[in-house]
Amino acid sequence: MRNQLFIYTLAGIFFTIIAGTFSHFLYQWSGNNQYIGLVAPVSESVWEHMKMAFFPMLLYCSIENILLKKKYPCIYKANACGIYIGVFSIPVLFYTYTGILGKNYLAGDIAVFCLGVVFAFLSSYRLAEATPASSCKRKSKIAACYYAAVLLLFLCFILFTLYPPVKIGLFQVP
């Protein structure tokens, strides 16, 4: 079982990095289609680049939740935490390295995205592996909280793509 989860974790890392990289260009390739812009970056802001990790991870983790829920009953919990860790590590890493160096670099930006994805999936892996099934007995209430947290982040991405609070640095183009 442990090896199966590790293989899914590695596949998730590769899938998210590839799909996220593809999504970086998707909005422009679509002729600035507003519907594509809801799930793909529409600008070079850090917030928009967080979508590069969120949406591919959400897709992959949704499938993983279905496929592994019998062997890992708390996989949804681990994946929800992993999504949050991955998405929010991106601005933390970006502002840390640009604060130290004084400006951003393409190689640094790529590394930030890749590290965020790796942090997400490794933390999800560790949580899924370490969480006993007995801690997920009240599944409906616990699952609802985790799904609601991910849904809230999903709605924030949609809302702030349509109405970005541009006075906040996270939404400004560096």
Side-chain angles (χ1 to χ4, degrees):
M1 280 196 301
R2 184 175 178 186
N3 289 335
Q4 182 184 22
L5 181 61
F6 187 72
I7 290 168
Y8 272 88
T9 300
L10 289 178
I13 290 169
F14 288 115
F15 172 81
T16 303
I17 288 174
I18 292 166
T21 301
F22 177 76
S23 77
H24 183 273
F25 305 101
L26 193 58
Y27 179 69
Q28 184 180 5
W29 290 343
S30 74
N32 298 345
N33 181 296
Q34 64 183 0
Y35 298 108
I36 298 294
L38 295 175
V39 297
V42 299
S43 74
E44 292 297 318
S45 73
V46 175
W47 175 261
E48 289 294 318
H49 280 73
M50 292 163 62
K51 290 196 288 189
M52 291 170 50
F54 178 78
F55 286 104
M57 285 174 57
L58 181 62
L59 175 62
Y60 185 85
C61 289
S62 297
I63 294 166
E64 186 180 58
N65 288 348
I66 294 166
L67 296 175
L68 296 180
K69 69 181 174 184
K70 288 186 181 177
K71 291 182 181 176
Y72 298 94
C74 295
I75 191 79
Y76 64 89
K77 181 177 171 182
N79 283 340
C81 290
I83 287 170
Y84 266 84
I85 288 168
V87 168
F88 288 107
S89 67
I90 290 172
V92 170
L93 292 168
F94 176 80
Y95 288 117
T96 299
Y97 105 80
T98 58
I100 293 168
L101 299 179
K103 64 182 238 176
N104 69 305
Y105 296 93
L106 179 60
D109 297 346
I110 293 168
V112 162
F113 169 67
C114 292
L115 282 172
V117 171
V118 169
F119 290 164
F121 279 97
L122 289 183
S123 60
S124 177
Y125 170 78
R126 294 294 295 152
L127 285 167
E129 183 183 62
T131 306
S134 61
S135 71
C136 296
K137 289 291 184 197
R138 296 179 302 161
K139 286 183 185 175
S140 60
K141 289 181 182 178
I142 294 171
C145 291
Y146 283 94
Y147 292 137
V150 173
L151 178 62
L152 177 64
L153 188 54
F154 179 92
L155 293 174
C156 285
F157 277 118
I158 302 301
L159 177 68
F160 295 142
T161 294
L162 297 172
Y163 308 102
V166 292
K167 291 185 179 182
I168 299 173
L170 187 64
F171 299 90
Q172 297 172 358
V173 177

